[in-house]
Amino acid sequence: MPEVRRLLPDPSGTRDPVSRERLLERGFDRAMARAFSMSPDDIIGEVKASGIKGRGGAAFPTGVKWEGVRSAGGNQRYVVMNADESELGTFKDRALLEQDPLGALVGVLIAAHAVGAKKAYLYIRGEYREVEMTMAKALETLRSSGWVGTGAVDVEIRRGAGAYIAGEETALLNSIEGKRAEPRVKPPFPTVKGLFGAPTLIQNVETLANVALLFAHDVDWFRQFGTEDTPGTKLIGISGHIERPGVYEVPFGYPLADLLRDEDLGAGVRGTLGSVLLGGAAGTFLSPDEVGDSFLDYASLRRYGASMGSGALMIFNDTVKPVWVLKKLAHFFADESCGQCVPCRIGTRRVLEMLDQGGLGTRVQDMRELAEAMRDASICGLGQTAPVALLSILDRPELQNA
Amino acid sequence: MRDEKNAAVLLRIQSLLRDLGRERSQLLPALWRVFDEYRYLGPEMIEAVSRTMNIPYAEVYGVASFYALFDNAEGHRPIYVCTDVMCALAGSEELLKASEDFQRGTTVSVKGAPCLGHCDAAPALFDGRATIRRATKEALAAAIRGEDHA
Ligand SMILES: Cc1cc2nc3c(=O)[nH]c(=O)nc-3n(C[C@H](O)[C@H](O)[C@H](O)COP(=O)(O)O)c2cc1C
Ligand code: SF4
Ligand code: FES
């Protein structure tokens, strides 16, 4: 089955991605008109019926989140688009914003209308300066349509400054507030107590782009692809030892092996497949056999303790030792830990030390205990999931000596 | 001399931040404006931001020092070479090594960086404004020379 193109526009299109013509071509004017003719409750009902789940990693049902923000008290509310994308091997939000900047923005406006927010922020990774410029132009297009600005929703771009942890939702809120981007203890969740203490909806770029598509069409159209449990399509960033690295859109439920093999997708592994790291730095290593019988769907991947996370699919041929990758990951986490809590600050360093000392063969029990302590006692997802890739290798002896 | 320089920095920063709100939530945008001007956030810049925005020095320093992109030495322009997994497989260590020669006698400082989000075109470079995809030694040398012509 070939690649699907819904989130990613037709590459043969010639319209300027930030232009009003593109807006019309993509049906986003229709999406806005339809959503704004609906009551907030009906919008939220439709998002729920579509089955859209968060694409930033946690796969939380989007409509349920919107309902949480809408029903929270107070009269000030915010929407935040999370474009901090700094997860290792992850570049799908960049590709999406380059190719279709208006989609995610229209999603922001619909979300703001549904939850009752008058102000939205686009938090863009500091290294994505070109994306930021594109988004500023796209905002102008929407401003001249009267959809952004005073009287409508005020939208402000925020530039990150080189901190992976700022992508964690509560750290991102602190960053916008002008504080250090350190995660907050949850609960309270941002839906109840977020930006400046007000209920806040934080959503990944790709999630919001899905919302724009949903309202440009309808629930039946949306559910034409994907599975009953996870409808729609997913952007996957393939990199490493693959003939055609890039971002591809496929339906949920797609066979992993086909992503690597299909001519208009990965088009084949360079060399002999050694392993795959799925989901980013806190992802799971899969062996070639596991890749062969896995599908892009949460239940299928769960059999192997894996998740698609941010949609990163890193391909390694048999010249790459997974232990080398693990050391890179351990460095990444030790550098990017915000240092706020002890299990993560110390734990990420200890993992690195053990790997440097060759602990994979000798310190298995110590590593498992450390991983458990980090999972149970860290404040945020970084510390909780930092040892996941390591554990996946401990569970797969066949990849240890590769 | 020192006082004069600091006074000049304060004046310049006050004018850079003139149209920016004074609320705490404008601190990160303020730091970016200052960094884009000086490519450096030294004590005199922190002091000037602190006075202009009416935020304690320690708070401004705490925020500025949190972010990797603000970590840069005075008088240098940073160029980032991604040394993360995919770019390392595509030869970024050699790029970093070659840069030692290229940057001698220039005001550029070449640094290793975590994943830049361009793994589909490894190895990737970031020159502070733009990304260079599928970077070669020649591209890196050109990026470094660009500084000297500026
Ligand atoms: C360390 C860390 C980094 C994260 N970085 C990002 C990111 O760059 N982009 C993103 O959308 N979500 C990121 N997340 C997930 C967010 O916390 C949050 O769950 C997400 O933005 C919610 O949006 P969604 O429901 O649309 O997925 C990160 C989480 C953690 C723990
Ligand atoms: S788990 Fe790590 S990154 Fe998260 S708050 Fe604790 S120290 Fe910071
Ligand atoms: S690993 Fe270098 S850009 Fe992602």
Side-chain angles (χ1 to χ4, degrees):
Chain A
M1 182 188 202
E3 189 194 13
V4 179
R5 281 199 170 256
R6 304 207 314 188
L7 290 161
L8 298 176
D10 185 345
S12 65
T14 53
R15 310 277 186 206
D16 180 353
V18 298
S19 66
R20 187 156 172 82
E21 293 71 42
R22 173 63 85 79
L23 192 81
L24 302 177
E25 184 180 76
R26 295 282 286 157
F28 293 146
D29 57 327
R30 193 168 73 228
M32 285 293 285
R34 189 158 90 76
F36 278 73
S37 72
M38 292 166 72
S39 74
D41 285 337
D42 288 346
I43 295 181
I44 291 171
E46 182 155 336
V47 173
K48 278 185 172 174
S50 74
I52 296 176
K53 294 178 191 166
R55 306 291 202 243
F60 189 83
T62 301
V64 175
K65 200 159 154 181
W66 291 24
E67 195 164 52
V69 176
R70 170 136 194 101
S71 60
N75 40 28
Q76 186 71 268
R77 291 185 183 80
Y78 298 96
V79 172
V80 178
M81 178 179 92
N82 188 346
D84 194 48
E85 190 166 70
S86 311
E87 179 73 42
L88 171 69
T90 307
F91 43 95
K92 50 109 183 160
D93 292 338
R94 170 184 58 74
L96 180 54
L97 292 178
E98 282 169 357
Q99 296 180 43
D100 198 38
L102 292 163
L105 271 184
V106 164
V108 167
L109 300 181
I110 294 173
H113 175 55
V115 304
K118 287 272 160 247
K119 170 108 197 185
Y121 290 88
L122 315 177
Y123 192 98
I124 304 175
R125 176 175 189 181
E127 291 88 344
Y128 284 179
R129 294 291 284 261
E130 294 110 318
V131 168
E132 183 191 323
M133 282 190 280
T134 303
M135 295 312 284
K137 288 186 201 148
L139 263 184
E140 279 314 308
T141 301
L142 296 185
R143 203 184 300 275
S144 61
S145 303
W147 293 339
V148 165
T150 31
V153 184
D154 182 27
V155 182
E156 191 174 327
I157 293 179
R158 278 306 167 94
R159 182 190 306 150
Y164 166 64
I165 192 58
E168 194 281 334
E169 54 188 7
T170 58
L172 190 147
L173 298 177
N174 279 339
S175 183
I176 294 177
E177 289 183 13
K179 302 176 186 151
R180 293 162 69 87
E182 289 166 344
R184 302 173 181 173
V185 177
K186 292 189 273 196
F189 290 95
T191 46
V192 180
K193 195 164 183 291
L195 202 53
F196 310 113
T200 303
L201 178 71
I202 305 170
Q203 220 74 85
N204 173 260
V205 169
E206 186 185 347
T207 312
L208 292 163
N210 273 294
V211 168
L213 283 183
L214 168 65
F215 285 91
H217 301 85
D218 56 30
V219 171
D220 286 342
W221 179 91
F222 190 84
R223 298 184 78 108
Q224 274 170 15
F225 286 106
T227 64
E228 184 55 33
D229 185 49
T230 315
T233 56
K234 180 82 195 82
L235 297 179
I236 299 291
I238 311 184
S239 60
H241 290 130
I242 191 84
E243 291 300 335
R244 293 180 71 223
V247 175
Y248 301 105
E249 180 174 1
V250 292
F252 282 100
Y254 204 80
L256 273 194
D258 289 357
L259 262 161
L260 273 58
R261 193 167 43 209
D262 283 1
E263 281 308 309
D264 49 358
L265 304 174
V269 173
R270 280 196 275 126
T272 304
L273 184 62
S275 63
V276 158
L277 176 55
L278 175 66
T284 306
F285 277 96
L286 296 175
S287 69
D289 286 346
E290 290 169 326
V291 171
D293 76 348
S294 288
F295 299 86
L296 210 59
D297 126 80
Y298 293 96
S300 164
L301 293 171
R302 209 172 299 125
R303 289 177 305 149
Y304 296 122
S307 170
M308 62 199 93
S310 56
L313 190 57
M314 291 175 263
I315 314 297
F316 302 109
N317 68 22
D318 60 1
T319 67
V320 179
K321 291 196 187 328
V323 176
W324 173 82
V325 182
L326 280 182
K327 284 187 194 172
K328 283 271 185 198
L329 304 181
H331 262 287
F332 177 81
F333 285 122
D335 286 347
E336 298 296 333
S337 164
C338 82
Q340 196 182 191
C341 55
V342 174
C344 170
R345 184 177 69 229
I346 309 289
T348 50
R349 298 250 149 240
R350 289 290 296 134
V351 169
L352 189 55
E353 283 163 19
M354 286 190 203
L355 285 172
D356 279 341
Q357 293 160 3
L360 211 49
T362 53
R363 309 276 300 273
V364 174
Q365 200 45 39
D366 290 351
M367 283 186 166
R368 285 193 189 277
E369 280 166 20
L370 179 60
E372 211 166 294
M374 290 170 72
R375 191 190 60 212
D376 295 343
S378 295
I379 289 183
C380 87
L382 189 151
Q384 288 159 6
T385 62
V388 166
L390 170 64
L391 289 173
S392 75
I393 291 289
L394 293 179
D395 290 339
R396 289 168 177 76
E398 71 272 25
L399 294 181
Q400 286 173 25
N401 307 314
Chain B
M1 262 310 276
R2 180 115 212 114
D3 283 353
E4 256 171 57
K5 189 184 161 208
N6 289 358
V9 166
L10 178 60
L11 273 179
R12 180 75 191 119
I13 287 179
Q14 280 172 341
S15 112
L16 282 173
L17 304 185
R18 182 160 299 139
D19 64 326
L20 206 64
R22 290 289 175 269
E23 353 31 296
R24 175 68 186 258
S25 64
Q26 292 300 329
L27 179 56
L28 186 54
L31 289 170
W32 262 120
R33 282 195 191 185
V34 174
F35 186 83
D36 274 346
E37 171 85 2
Y38 294 99
R39 290 179 185 138
Y40 167 64
L41 295 179
E44 62 274 37
M45 287 85 188
I46 301 289
E47 174 68 29
V49 171
S50 158
R51 286 176 62 176
T52 310
M53 309 263 309
N54 214 356
I55 301 170
Y57 182 97
E59 292 279 314
V60 178
Y61 176 79
V63 171
S65 62
F66 187 85
Y67 295 98
L69 290 180
F70 292 150
D71 179 16
N72 195 48
E74 185 169 16
H76 285 261
R77 187 172 67 117
I79 293 184
Y80 302 91
V81 176
C82 174
T83 52
D84 228 323
V85 177
M86 292 307 166
C87 294
L89 287 180
S92 65
E93 295 297 334
E94 283 98 85
L95 282 182
L96 209 51
K97 235 178 255 139
S99 75
E100 287 169 20
D101 282 339
F102 299 157
Q103 76 190 82
R104 203 164 289 131
T106 74
T107 56
V108 171
S109 97
V110 178
K111 316 172 182 206
C115 179
L116 290 171
H118 289 266
C119 332
D120 53 335
L125 304 180
F126 175 61
D127 74 359
R129 290 292 154 86
T131 309
I132 300 165
R133 290 161 55 84
R134 289 182 201 86
T136 57
K137 286 183 190 171
E138 291 70 34
L140 175 57
I144 292 173
R145 277 197 312 274
E147 157 69 9
D148 292 329
H149 292 234

